[in-house]
Amino acid sequence: MWCLPTVRPNVSEMFKCSSLHRFHSPRLKPPTAARFSTTSSSPYLPPLFSVAPMMEWTDNHYRTLARIITKHAWLYTEMIAAQTLVHQQTNLDRFLAFSPQQHPIVLQLGGSNVESLAKAAKLSHPYGYDEINLNCGCPSPKVAGHGCFGVTLMLNPKLVGEAMSAIADNTNVPVTVKCRIGVDDHDSYDELCDFVYKVSTLSPTKHFIVHSRKALLGGISPADNRRIPPLKYEYYYALVRDFPDLKFTINGGITSVSTVNAALKEGAHGVMVGRAAYNNPWQTLGLVDTTVYGVPSSGLTRRQVLEQYQVYADSVLGTQGNGRPNVRDLVKPLLNIFHSEIGNSLWKRRADAAFRECKTVGALLEESLKAIPDSVLDSPISLSPEIGEDDVFADVQNVLPPPYKAVEQVMLCA
Protein backbone atom coordinates (compact mmCIF):
# COMPACT_ATOMS: atom_id res chain seq x y z
CA MET A 1 0.00 0.00 0.00
CA TRP A 2 2.80 2.41 0.87
CA CYS A 3 4.74 2.54 -2.39
CA LEU A 4 7.90 4.60 -2.22
CA PRO A 5 9.09 5.99 -5.56
CA THR A 6 12.29 4.43 -6.87
CA VAL A 7 13.26 7.62 -8.73
CA ARG A 8 12.49 11.04 -7.31
CA PRO A 9 14.33 13.60 -9.46
CA ASN A 10 11.94 16.44 -8.74
CA VAL A 11 11.43 15.64 -5.08
CA SER A 12 15.11 15.14 -4.41
CA GLU A 13 15.87 18.49 -5.98
CA MET A 14 13.08 20.08 -3.99
CA PHE A 15 14.48 18.84 -0.70
CA LYS A 16 18.14 18.44 -1.61
CA CYS A 17 19.43 19.67 1.75
CA SER A 18 20.72 16.76 3.81
CA SER A 19 21.19 18.65 7.06
CA LEU A 20 19.98 21.80 8.73
CA HIS A 21 23.15 23.69 7.91
CA ARG A 22 22.23 23.31 4.25
CA PHE A 23 18.87 25.02 4.70
CA HIS A 24 18.42 28.62 3.59
CA SER A 25 21.89 30.03 3.99
CA PRO A 26 23.03 33.58 4.67
CA ARG A 27 24.76 33.54 1.28
CA LEU A 28 21.41 33.56 -0.52
CA LYS A 29 19.92 36.93 -1.36
CA PRO A 30 16.53 37.42 0.33
CA PRO A 31 13.63 37.80 -2.08
CA THR A 32 11.39 40.82 -2.22
CA ALA A 33 8.67 40.68 0.42
CA ALA A 34 5.09 40.31 -0.68
CA ARG A 35 2.66 43.22 -0.52
CA PHE A 36 -1.10 43.25 -0.28
CA SER A 37 -1.36 44.89 -3.68
CA THR A 38 -1.75 42.52 -6.59
CA THR A 39 0.24 44.97 -8.72
CA SER A 40 3.37 44.44 -6.63
CA SER A 41 6.50 43.11 -8.30
CA SER A 42 6.80 40.56 -5.49
CA PRO A 43 7.23 36.95 -6.55
CA TYR A 44 4.57 35.97 -3.98
CA LEU A 45 0.85 36.44 -3.81
CA PRO A 46 -0.35 38.70 -0.96
CA PRO A 47 -0.97 37.33 2.55
CA LEU A 48 -4.67 36.69 2.13
CA PHE A 49 -4.13 33.52 4.19
CA SER A 50 -1.42 32.95 6.76
CA VAL A 51 -0.71 30.25 9.32
CA ALA A 52 -0.31 31.63 12.83
CA PRO A 53 2.94 31.30 14.77
CA MET A 54 2.41 28.56 17.37
CA MET A 55 5.00 27.53 19.93
CA GLU A 56 6.18 23.92 19.53
CA TRP A 57 3.95 23.53 16.47
CA THR A 58 5.01 25.72 13.55
CA ASP A 59 8.59 24.46 13.46
CA ASN A 60 10.63 23.61 10.37
CA HIS A 61 8.99 20.20 10.07
CA TYR A 62 5.42 21.45 10.11
CA ARG A 63 6.25 24.31 7.75
CA THR A 64 7.80 21.85 5.29
CA LEU A 65 4.61 19.80 5.30
CA ALA A 66 2.47 22.92 4.99
CA ARG A 67 4.42 24.16 1.99
CA ILE A 68 4.01 20.85 0.17
CA ILE A 69 0.24 21.15 0.62
CA THR A 70 -0.12 24.88 -0.12
CA LYS A 71 2.17 26.92 -2.33
CA HIS A 72 0.77 30.35 -1.47
CA ALA A 73 -0.19 30.54 2.22
CA TRP A 74 2.16 32.69 4.26
CA LEU A 75 3.97 30.74 6.98
CA TYR A 76 5.26 32.00 10.33
CA THR A 77 7.98 30.64 12.56
CA GLU A 78 7.38 29.87 16.17
CA MET A 79 8.06 32.91 18.34
CA ILE A 80 11.81 33.18 18.87
CA ALA A 81 13.01 35.26 21.83
CA ALA A 82 15.37 38.02 20.74
CA GLN A 83 17.61 37.33 23.71
CA THR A 84 17.99 33.73 22.56
CA LEU A 85 19.42 34.82 19.22
CA VAL A 86 21.72 37.34 20.88
CA HIS A 87 23.14 34.68 23.21
CA GLN A 88 23.26 31.89 20.59
CA GLN A 89 25.17 33.66 17.84
CA THR A 90 27.37 30.62 17.21
CA ASN A 91 24.31 28.40 16.80
CA LEU A 92 21.92 30.56 14.78
CA ASP A 93 21.07 27.89 12.22
CA ARG A 94 19.31 25.92 14.92
CA PHE A 95 16.82 28.77 15.32
CA LEU A 96 16.78 30.58 11.99
CA ALA A 97 17.64 28.16 9.16
CA PHE A 98 14.87 27.04 6.85
CA SER A 99 14.56 25.51 3.40
CA PRO A 100 14.08 27.99 0.53
CA GLN A 101 10.83 26.26 -0.41
CA GLN A 102 9.20 27.73 2.71
CA HIS A 103 8.91 31.23 1.22
CA PRO A 104 6.92 33.34 1.82
CA ILE A 105 7.86 33.06 5.50
CA VAL A 106 7.73 35.49 8.42
CA LEU A 107 10.04 35.47 11.43
CA GLN A 108 8.25 36.24 14.69
CA LEU A 109 10.41 37.75 17.42
CA GLY A 110 9.56 38.07 21.09
CA GLY A 111 11.03 40.51 23.56
CA SER A 112 10.88 44.00 24.96
CA ASN A 113 14.52 45.10 25.04
CA VAL A 114 14.97 47.42 22.08
CA GLU A 115 18.68 46.74 21.74
CA SER A 116 18.18 42.97 21.79
CA LEU A 117 15.38 43.17 19.22
CA ALA A 118 17.58 45.27 16.95
CA LYS A 119 20.43 42.77 17.25
CA ALA A 120 18.09 39.85 16.61
CA ALA A 121 16.78 41.52 13.45
CA LYS A 122 20.31 42.10 12.24
CA LEU A 123 21.30 38.51 12.97
CA SER A 124 18.25 37.18 11.12
CA HIS A 125 18.67 39.40 8.08
CA PRO A 126 21.12 37.15 6.16
CA TYR A 127 18.66 34.25 6.33
CA GLY A 128 16.23 35.99 4.00
CA TYR A 129 12.93 36.10 5.85
CA ASP A 130 10.20 37.96 3.98
CA GLU A 131 8.96 39.92 6.99
CA ILE A 132 9.74 40.29 10.69
CA ASN A 133 6.87 40.31 13.17
CA LEU A 134 6.90 41.37 16.82
CA ASN A 135 4.76 39.38 19.24
CA CYS A 136 2.52 41.77 21.17
CA GLY A 137 -0.27 39.26 21.65
CA CYS A 138 0.89 36.22 23.59
CA PRO A 139 -0.94 36.02 26.96
CA SER A 140 1.05 33.10 28.38
CA PRO A 141 2.30 33.80 31.92
CA LYS A 142 5.69 32.47 30.78
CA VAL A 143 5.81 35.31 28.26
CA ALA A 144 3.53 38.14 29.40
CA GLY A 145 4.62 37.76 33.02
CA HIS A 146 8.30 38.35 32.43
CA GLY A 147 9.86 41.63 31.38
CA CYS A 148 6.91 43.24 29.58
CA PHE A 149 6.85 40.47 27.02
CA GLY A 150 4.07 39.49 24.63
CA VAL A 151 0.65 41.05 25.12
CA THR A 152 1.76 43.31 27.98
CA LEU A 153 3.61 45.33 25.36
CA MET A 154 0.23 46.68 24.28
CA LEU A 155 0.23 48.72 27.49
CA ASN A 156 3.36 50.54 26.31
CA PRO A 157 2.85 51.52 22.65
CA LYS A 158 5.68 54.03 22.77
CA LEU A 159 8.11 51.21 23.58
CA VAL A 160 6.61 49.10 20.79
CA GLY A 161 7.08 51.97 18.34
CA GLU A 162 10.72 52.34 19.38
CA ALA A 163 11.25 48.59 19.09
CA MET A 164 9.68 48.42 15.64
CA SER A 165 11.85 51.29 14.45
CA ALA A 166 14.95 49.54 15.77
CA ILE A 167 13.96 46.29 14.05
CA ALA A 168 13.27 48.12 10.79
CA ASP A 169 16.65 49.86 10.95
CA ASN A 170 18.33 46.45 10.95
CA THR A 171 16.50 44.77 8.08
CA ASN A 172 15.30 45.60 4.59
CA VAL A 173 11.99 43.71 4.81
CA PRO A 174 8.62 44.92 6.14
CA VAL A 175 8.04 44.84 9.90
CA THR A 176 4.67 43.92 11.39
CA VAL A 177 2.98 43.60 14.79
CA LYS A 178 0.72 40.82 16.06
CA CYS A 179 -1.52 41.98 18.89
CA ARG A 180 -4.83 41.47 20.67
CA ILE A 181 -7.70 43.99 20.81
CA GLY A 182 -6.93 44.82 24.44
CA VAL A 183 -5.54 43.73 27.79
CA ASP A 184 -7.67 43.20 30.92
CA ASP A 185 -9.63 46.41 31.53
CA HIS A 186 -7.74 48.27 28.81
CA ASP A 187 -10.17 46.97 26.22
CA SER A 188 -11.98 49.93 24.68
CA TYR A 189 -11.87 50.49 20.95
CA ASP A 190 -10.24 53.89 21.43
CA GLU A 191 -7.42 52.31 23.46
CA LEU A 192 -6.83 49.81 20.68
CA CYS A 193 -6.75 52.65 18.17
CA ASP A 194 -4.33 54.60 20.34
CA PHE A 195 -1.98 51.62 20.24
CA VAL A 196 -2.20 51.25 16.47
CA TYR A 197 -1.91 55.01 15.90
CA LYS A 198 1.17 55.42 18.09
CA VAL A 199 3.01 52.37 16.81
CA SER A 200 2.34 53.20 13.16
CA THR A 201 3.32 56.84 13.66
CA LEU A 202 6.49 56.15 15.64
CA SER A 203 7.71 53.39 13.31
CA PRO A 204 7.47 52.08 9.73
CA THR A 205 4.89 49.48 10.82
CA LYS A 206 2.06 49.40 8.30
CA HIS A 207 0.60 45.95 8.94
CA PHE A 208 -1.03 44.67 12.13
CA ILE A 209 -2.24 41.11 12.71
CA VAL A 210 -5.12 41.45 15.17
CA HIS A 211 -6.41 38.61 17.34
CA SER A 212 -10.00 39.74 17.87
CA ARG A 213 -10.11 38.90 21.57
CA LYS A 214 -8.64 40.78 24.47
CA ALA A 215 -6.14 39.04 26.76
CA LEU A 216 -6.75 38.31 30.43
CA LEU A 217 -3.59 38.34 32.53
CA GLY A 218 -5.08 37.02 35.76
CA GLY A 219 -3.21 33.74 35.57
CA ILE A 220 -5.55 31.91 33.21
CA SER A 221 -4.03 29.57 30.67
CA PRO A 222 -3.34 30.43 27.01
CA ALA A 223 -6.09 27.94 26.09
CA ASP A 224 -8.60 29.80 28.25
CA ASN A 225 -7.43 33.07 26.70
CA ARG A 226 -8.49 31.65 23.35
CA ARG A 227 -11.90 30.69 24.74
CA ILE A 228 -13.11 32.96 27.54
CA PRO A 229 -12.71 36.52 26.18
CA PRO A 230 -15.42 37.10 23.56
CA LEU A 231 -14.53 37.67 19.94
CA LYS A 232 -15.12 41.24 18.79
CA TYR A 233 -14.72 41.17 15.04
CA GLU A 234 -16.35 44.59 14.93
CA TYR A 235 -13.15 46.06 16.40
CA TYR A 236 -11.12 44.58 13.56
CA TYR A 237 -13.40 45.90 10.83
CA ALA A 238 -13.50 49.30 12.52
CA LEU A 239 -9.69 49.41 12.31
CA VAL A 240 -9.96 48.72 8.58
CA ARG A 241 -12.40 51.63 8.34
CA ASP A 242 -10.47 54.09 10.52
CA PHE A 243 -6.92 53.46 9.29
CA PRO A 244 -7.19 53.34 5.49
CA ASP A 245 -3.41 53.71 5.04
CA LEU A 246 -2.66 50.58 7.09
CA LYS A 247 -3.21 46.86 6.48
CA PHE A 248 -4.83 44.51 8.99
CA THR A 249 -5.02 40.73 9.13
CA ILE A 250 -7.84 39.21 11.18
CA ASN A 251 -7.13 36.34 13.58
CA GLY A 252 -9.09 34.40 16.19
CA GLY A 253 -11.89 31.86 16.00
CA ILE A 254 -11.61 31.21 12.26
CA THR A 255 -11.48 27.48 11.66
CA SER A 256 -12.42 26.85 8.03
CA VAL A 257 -11.54 28.13 4.58
CA SER A 258 -15.17 29.04 3.96
CA THR A 259 -15.03 31.39 6.96
CA VAL A 260 -11.73 32.78 5.67
CA ASN A 261 -13.47 33.68 2.42
CA ALA A 262 -16.39 35.20 4.32
CA ALA A 263 -13.97 37.45 6.22
CA LEU A 264 -12.25 38.50 3.00
CA LYS A 265 -15.59 39.16 1.32
CA GLU A 266 -16.54 41.45 4.20
CA GLY A 267 -13.38 43.49 3.59
CA ALA A 268 -10.59 41.86 5.60
CA HIS A 269 -7.16 42.50 4.12
CA GLY A 270 -5.95 39.07 5.18
CA VAL A 271 -6.85 36.18 7.48
CA MET A 272 -4.63 34.24 9.89
CA VAL A 273 -5.62 30.73 10.93
CA GLY A 274 -4.01 28.89 13.84
CA ARG A 275 -4.94 25.51 15.23
CA ALA A 276 -7.27 24.52 12.40
CA ALA A 277 -4.29 24.61 10.03
CA TYR A 278 -2.44 22.21 12.33
CA ASN A 279 -5.29 19.99 13.50
CA ASN A 280 -6.76 19.48 10.02
CA PRO A 281 -4.04 20.45 7.51
CA TRP A 282 -5.48 18.59 4.52
CA GLN A 283 -8.95 20.14 4.63
CA THR A 284 -7.60 23.56 5.59
CA LEU A 285 -4.28 24.13 3.84
CA GLY A 286 -5.30 21.87 0.97
CA LEU A 287 -8.07 24.29 -0.02
CA VAL A 288 -6.15 27.56 0.31
CA ASP A 289 -4.59 27.79 -3.14
CA THR A 290 -7.77 27.09 -5.08
CA THR A 291 -10.50 28.66 -2.93
CA VAL A 292 -8.65 31.63 -1.42
CA TYR A 293 -6.10 32.48 -4.12
CA GLY A 294 -8.00 31.13 -7.10
CA VAL A 295 -5.06 29.29 -8.62
CA PRO A 296 -5.07 25.72 -9.96
CA SER A 297 -4.65 22.89 -7.50
CA SER A 298 -1.38 20.98 -7.44
CA GLY A 299 -3.47 17.83 -7.70
CA LEU A 300 -1.33 16.08 -5.09
CA THR A 301 -2.77 13.17 -3.17
CA ARG A 302 -1.95 12.48 0.46
CA ARG A 303 0.25 9.59 -0.64
CA GLN A 304 2.29 11.99 -2.79
CA VAL A 305 2.46 14.59 -0.03
CA LEU A 306 3.77 11.97 2.39
CA GLU A 307 6.31 10.71 -0.13
CA GLN A 308 7.70 14.22 -0.56
CA TYR A 309 7.71 14.87 3.17
CA GLN A 310 9.45 11.56 3.84
CA VAL A 311 12.36 12.56 1.58
CA TYR A 312 12.80 15.74 3.62
CA ALA A 313 12.31 14.03 6.98
CA ASP A 314 14.81 11.25 6.49
CA SER A 315 17.36 13.73 5.10
CA VAL A 316 17.35 15.78 8.32
CA LEU A 317 17.01 12.87 10.78
CA GLY A 318 19.52 13.33 13.62
CA THR A 319 21.28 16.31 12.02
CA GLN A 320 21.03 18.61 15.07
CA GLY A 321 23.02 16.27 17.30
CA ASN A 322 21.95 14.14 20.25
CA GLY A 323 19.68 12.19 17.95
CA ARG A 324 17.44 15.19 17.16
CA PRO A 325 15.28 15.57 15.28
CA ASN A 326 14.20 11.99 15.82
CA VAL A 327 11.48 10.01 14.07
CA ARG A 328 8.87 11.14 16.59
CA ASP A 329 9.76 14.81 16.07
CA LEU A 330 9.44 14.44 12.32
CA VAL A 331 6.21 12.45 12.32
CA LYS A 332 4.44 14.82 14.74
CA PRO A 333 3.19 17.21 11.98
CA LEU A 334 1.72 14.25 10.07
CA LEU A 335 -0.52 12.94 12.81
CA ASN A 336 -3.56 15.00 11.76
CA ILE A 337 -3.31 14.58 8.00
CA PHE A 338 -6.08 11.94 8.02
CA HIS A 339 -8.38 13.95 10.27
CA SER A 340 -11.91 12.40 10.28
CA GLU A 341 -10.96 9.85 7.64
CA ILE A 342 -11.56 6.09 7.73
CA GLY A 343 -8.60 4.44 9.44
CA ASN A 344 -7.36 7.61 11.18
CA SER A 345 -7.45 6.21 14.72
CA LEU A 346 -5.87 2.91 13.69
CA TRP A 347 -3.10 4.69 11.78
CA LYS A 348 -2.26 6.79 14.85
CA ARG A 349 -2.09 3.68 17.04
CA ARG A 350 0.13 1.91 14.52
CA ALA A 351 2.35 4.96 14.21
CA ASP A 352 2.69 5.17 17.98
CA ALA A 353 3.66 1.50 18.16
CA ALA A 354 6.10 1.90 15.26
CA PHE A 355 8.06 4.63 17.06
CA ARG A 356 9.65 1.94 19.20
CA GLU A 357 11.03 -0.03 16.26
CA CYS A 358 11.34 2.17 13.19
CA LYS A 359 14.57 4.09 12.68
CA THR A 360 13.43 6.16 9.71
CA VAL A 361 10.27 8.04 8.78
CA GLY A 362 10.00 5.95 5.64
CA ALA A 363 9.96 2.75 7.64
CA LEU A 364 7.33 4.11 10.00
CA LEU A 365 5.08 5.18 7.15
CA GLU A 366 5.46 1.84 5.41
CA GLU A 367 4.37 0.09 8.59
CA SER A 368 1.58 2.40 9.74
CA LEU A 369 -0.12 3.44 6.49
CA LYS A 370 -1.51 -0.05 6.03
CA ALA A 371 -4.35 1.28 8.19
CA ILE A 372 -5.42 3.85 5.59
CA PRO A 373 -7.50 2.77 2.55
CA ASP A 374 -6.04 3.43 -0.89
CA SER A 375 -9.13 5.49 -1.68
CA VAL A 376 -8.08 7.97 1.03
CA LEU A 377 -4.38 7.95 0.19
CA ASP A 378 -4.88 8.42 -3.54
CA SER A 379 -7.66 11.02 -3.69
CA PRO A 380 -6.63 14.63 -4.34
CA ILE A 381 -8.12 17.40 -2.26
CA SER A 382 -11.69 18.28 -3.16
CA LEU A 383 -11.91 21.47 -5.19
CA SER A 384 -15.03 22.63 -3.39
CA PRO A 385 -14.71 24.21 0.07
CA GLU A 386 -15.91 22.29 3.07
CA ILE A 387 -19.09 23.36 4.81
CA GLY A 388 -18.01 25.92 7.38
CA GLU A 389 -19.66 28.00 10.07
CA ASP A 390 -22.51 30.38 9.42
CA ASP A 391 -21.36 33.73 8.13
CA VAL A 392 -20.28 35.23 11.44
CA PHE A 393 -19.47 38.51 9.71
CA ALA A 394 -22.91 39.08 8.18
CA ASP A 395 -23.95 41.83 10.64
CA VAL A 396 -20.54 43.11 11.66
CA GLN A 397 -20.91 46.43 9.80
CA ASN A 398 -24.02 47.17 11.85
CA VAL A 399 -22.23 46.95 15.20
CA LEU A 400 -19.02 48.86 14.49
CA PRO A 401 -17.88 51.22 17.28
CA PRO A 402 -17.94 54.96 16.56
CA PRO A 403 -15.09 56.20 14.34
CA TYR A 404 -11.76 56.92 16.01
CA LYS A 405 -10.44 60.44 15.84
CA ALA A 406 -6.71 60.60 16.49
CA VAL A 407 -5.52 63.60 18.46
CA GLU A 408 -1.94 64.69 18.85
CA GLN A 409 -2.14 64.31 22.63
CA VAL A 410 -2.05 60.54 22.32
CA MET A 411 1.52 60.85 21.06
CA LEU A 412 2.50 62.33 24.39
CA CYS A 413 1.15 59.44 26.43
CA ALA A 414 3.61 56.89 27.76
Side-chain angles (χ1 to χ4, degrees):
M1 180 176 292
W2 174 244
C3 180
L4 296 180
T6 57
V7 179
R8 308 185 189 92
N10 294 334
V11 176
S12 297
E13 179 65 21
M14 186 176 181
F15 297 109
K16 59 187 176 182
C17 47
S18 61
S19 65
L20 289 181
H21 72 269
R22 292 181 64 186
F23 274 14
H24 203 295
S25 95
R27 294 186 295 275
L28 297 178
K29 182 179 179 181
T32 304
R35 305 291 185 180
F36 281 70
S37 172
T38 56
T39 62
S40 169
S41 59
S42 166
Y44 310 120
L45 295 177
L48 301 179
F49 184 103
S50 54
V51 178
M54 294 177 282
M55 294 296 292
E56 299 183 357
W57 286 17
T58 53
D59 56 14
N60 254 315
H61 317 316
Y62 171 78
R63 297 195 309 265
T64 297
L65 175 67
R67 184 55 75 218
I68 297 172
I69 299 174
T70 169
K71 305 305 179 188
H72 299 292
W74 282 61
L75 305 179
Y76 279 64
T77 68
E78 303 170 90
M79 184 192 72
I80 302 175
Q83 291 279 15
T84 298
L85 298 181
V86 171
H87 293 298
Q88 293 280 341
Q89 294 188 38
T90 61
N91 194 25
L92 289 177
D93 280 4
R94 174 185 172 190
F95 303 97
L96 295 175
F98 62 94
S99 63
Q101 288 74 27
Q102 290 183 28
H103 288 292
I105 181 172
V106 181
L107 168 66
Q108 187 182 68
L109 294 176
S112 59
N113 182 281
V114 173
E115 182 179 356
S116 294
L117 288 165
K119 289 180 179 178
K122 187 173 184 178
L123 291 169
S124 70
H125 172 70
Y127 287 85
Y129 285 92
D130 298 298
E131 292 182 355
I132 298 179
N133 175 267
L134 180 62
N135 184 327
C136 297
C138 181
S140 169
K142 296 179 181 179
V143 173
H146 296 280
C148 191
F149 210 144
V151 74
T152 55
L153 282 171
M154 289 193 69
L155 302 177
N156 194 345
K158 183 178 179 182
L159 174 61
V160 175
E162 293 171 354
M164 296 308 293
S165 288
I167 292 171
D169 287 344
N170 286 275
T171 184
N172 65 351
V173 300
V175 295
T176 69
V177 165
K178 188 173 189 297
C179 63
R180 291 254 179 161
I181 61 170
V183 184
D184 291 333
D185 293 332
H186 300 276
D187 60 354
S188 71
Y189 177 66
D190 279 352
E191 287 173 293
L192 172 61
C193 289
D194 287 347
F195 174 81
V196 170
Y197 180 79
K198 293 178 192 178
V199 173
S200 62
T201 305
L202 291 170
S203 75
T205 308
K206 300 302 178 186
H207 179 195
F208 293 79
I209 297 91
V210 182
H211 187 133
S212 301
R213 289 185 176 93
K214 73 174 182 178
L216 298 173
L217 298 181
I220 70 172
S221 69
D224 283 341
N225 255 304
R226 294 190 300 270
R227 179 180 59 85
I228 295 175
L231 286 160
K232 292 189 175 182
Y233 293 131
E234 62 270 25
Y235 278 24
Y236 168 82
Y237 283 101
L239 290 174
V240 172
R241 175 198 65 193
D242 292 340
F243 294 89
D245 295 331
L246 302 178
K247 295 297 182 183
F248 298 94
T249 290
I250 191 171
N251 174 229
I254 298 173
T255 60
S256 72
V257 172
S258 59
T259 310
V260 169
N261 282 333
L264 293 171
K265 182 179 179 180
E266 194 59 43
H269 298 144
V271 182
M272 176 175 279
V273 174
R275 278 152 181 78
Y278 193 95
N279 293 332
N280 191 2
W282 187 247
Q283 290 295 331
T284 304
L285 300 180
L287 293 168
V288 167
D289 293 353
T290 53
T291 63
V292 176
Y293 286 97
V295 300
S297 169
S298 68
L300 290 176
T301 66
R302 274 177 277 206
R303 188 192 302 274
Q304 292 168 324
V305 168
L306 291 172
E307 286 172 350
Q308 291 190 22
Y309 182 82
Q310 180 243 313
V311 174
Y312 155 78
D314 284 337
S315 75
V316 301
L317 193 63
T319 54
Q320 289 183 336
N322 297 319
R324 305 299 292 272
N326 57 33
V327 172
R328 189 177 291 273
D329 297 329
L330 292 160
V331 171
K332 178 182 175 183
L334 303 178
L335 293 178
N336 294 315
I337 198 167
F338 299 112
H339 179 83
S340 298
E341 295 284 5
I342 297 172
N344 179 50
S345 296
L346 179 58
W347 122 260
K348 287 184 176 181
R349 291 196 299 272
R350 287 191 173 183
D352 188 60
F355 283 130
R356 294 189 288 270
E357 302 294 335
C358 294
K359 304 301 181 185
T360 67
V361 174
L364 182 141
L365 291 175
E366 186 172 5
E367 174 63 27
S368 61
L369 286 178
K370 298 171 184 176
I372 303 297
D374 287 346
S375 59
V376 173
L377 280 168
D378 296 324
S379 297
I381 188 69
S382 170
L383 295 182
S384 59
E386 80 287 10
I387 299 175
E389 299 86 350
D390 293 336
D391 187 353
V392 296
F393 309 106
D395 297 322
V396 71
Q397 300 296 336
N398 296 324
V399 293
L400 298 184
Y404 173 70
K405 298 186 183 298
V407 292
E408 291 305 318
Q409 280 97 332
V410 300
M411 297 301 300
L412 304 177
C413 298

